[in-house]
Amino acid sequence: MAAVELLGIHLDKAASAAEQVFAKARAKAAAALMPGGRIDAMLLDEQQHLAHGLSWFATYAAALREIAEYAGRMGAAGRFTEAEQLTAQIIAGEYLNQLAGGIPMNQGEFARLADFGLARDDAAPLSNCVLFDKGNTPAARARLVQLMAEGHFANSGLDDTLAEIATTMRRFVDDKVAPNAHQWHRDNAYVPMEIIQELAELGVFALTLP
């Protein structure tokens, strides 16, 4: 079996495992927050950590599914090169481990299985995935950095317009930011306003608008 196809299978299994664990967490959260079948506002206020954690579990499960589907699309188009493969497997491996061991929601708050009343056995689908141990490895990270240093960046799979925006921004960073960023950091200085102005002229601050 081709390496690309095999990785696609592993990514799909990772997404399915995350979805299974999320479903268990959602059921536990529903029992705690919706005892009458509807969300209890007082309970939701009292258990904000639980609700916040559930949203992170949902985000990780959705992200893993999107990565698996991205891999399928790129593979079918013959564009799933080594950089894309490494990026996908590293993300999947890291997300599987964070789902099992705790998602850092901020510097001091984690979403853990125990918050939902889930036991270690409930995380078995995650640790049973090949990418749990072989996804985010030092070797994979080192190889991806090497590829990036050589100029081989992962193809995002964006449409032509968004890909052109990415190319424009990379060119701007290479020309205007990279040569000066270290000195700005050493000087503990703000990014110069002329740089901000040029970014504005490129339309960066309107990217969220239709």
Side-chain angles (χ1 to χ4, degrees), residues 164-183:
E164 179 58 32
I165 291 174
T167 299
T168 298
M169 289 310 304
R170 184 173 293 120
R171 188 182 304 118
F172 180 87
V173 170
D174 288 343
D175 293 344
K176 301 295 181 69
V177 178
N180 303 300
H182 184 60
Q183 191 61 47

Side-chain angles (χ1 to χ4, degrees), residues 49-107:
H49 177 83
L50 183 68
H52 190 195
L54 185 65
S55 69
W56 277 93
F57 269 58
T59 300
Y60 272 45
L64 284 167
R65 176 54 63 194
E66 288 295 329
I67 291 168
E69 292 181 359
Y70 158 81
R73 292 193 304 271
M74 297 296 284
R79 300 167 62 193
F80 202 43
T81 66
E82 186 181 8
E84 287 84 32
Q85 294 170 41
L86 287 168
T87 300
Q89 81 167 58
I90 289 169
I91 293 172
E94 180 62 22
Y95 276 22
L96 287 171
N97 275 272
Q98 287 191 20
L99 281 165
I103 297 174
M105 297 189 290
N106 57 46
Q107 290 181 328

Side-chain angles (χ1 to χ4, degrees), residues 15-183:
S16 295
E19 289 162 352
Q20 290 176 47
V21 174
F22 167 63
K24 294 178 181 180
R26 182 175 57 186
K28 292 284 189 177
L33 303 175
M34 304 170 60
R38 299 179 63 180
I39 292 178
D40 185 304
M42 184 174 295
L43 289 175
L44 182 62
D45 188 56
E46 292 174 354
Q47 301 194 53
Q48 292 181 30
H49 177 83
L50 183 68
H52 190 195
L54 185 65
S55 69
W56 277 93
F57 269 58
T59 300
Y60 272 45
L64 284 167
R65 176 54 63 194
E66 288 295 329
I67 291 168
E69 292 181 359
Y70 158 81
R73 292 193 304 271
M74 297 296 284
R79 300 167 62 193
F80 202 43
T81 66
E82 186 181 8
E84 287 84 32
Q85 294 170 41
L86 287 168
T87 300
Q89 81 167 58
I90 289 169
I91 293 172
E94 180 62 22
Y95 276 22
L96 287 171
N97 275 272
Q98 287 191 20
L99 281 165
I103 297 174
M105 297 189 290
N106 57 46
Q107 290 181 328
E109 186 180 17
F110 290 79
R112 303 187 192 280
L113 292 169
D115 297 333
F116 301 94
L118 298 178
R120 181 172 299 180
D121 288 347
D122 291 308
L126 304 171
S127 58
N128 287 339
C129 293
V130 168
L131 294 177
F132 185 85
D133 292 319
K134 297 184 178 180
N136 185 15
T137 64
R141 294 194 299 271
R143 176 56 181 160
L144 181 57
V145 170
Q146 180 184 358
L147 288 171
M148 293 171 66
E150 294 171 355
H152 303 293
F153 293 91
N155 190 314
S156 64
L158 299 173
D159 64 30
D160 291 343
T161 299
L162 293 176
E164 179 58 32
I165 291 174
T167 299
T168 298
M169 289 310 304
R170 184 173 293 120
R171 188 182 304 118
F172 180 87
V173 170
D174 288 343
D175 293 344
K176 301 295 181 69
V177 178
N180 303 300
H182 184 60
Q183 191 61 47

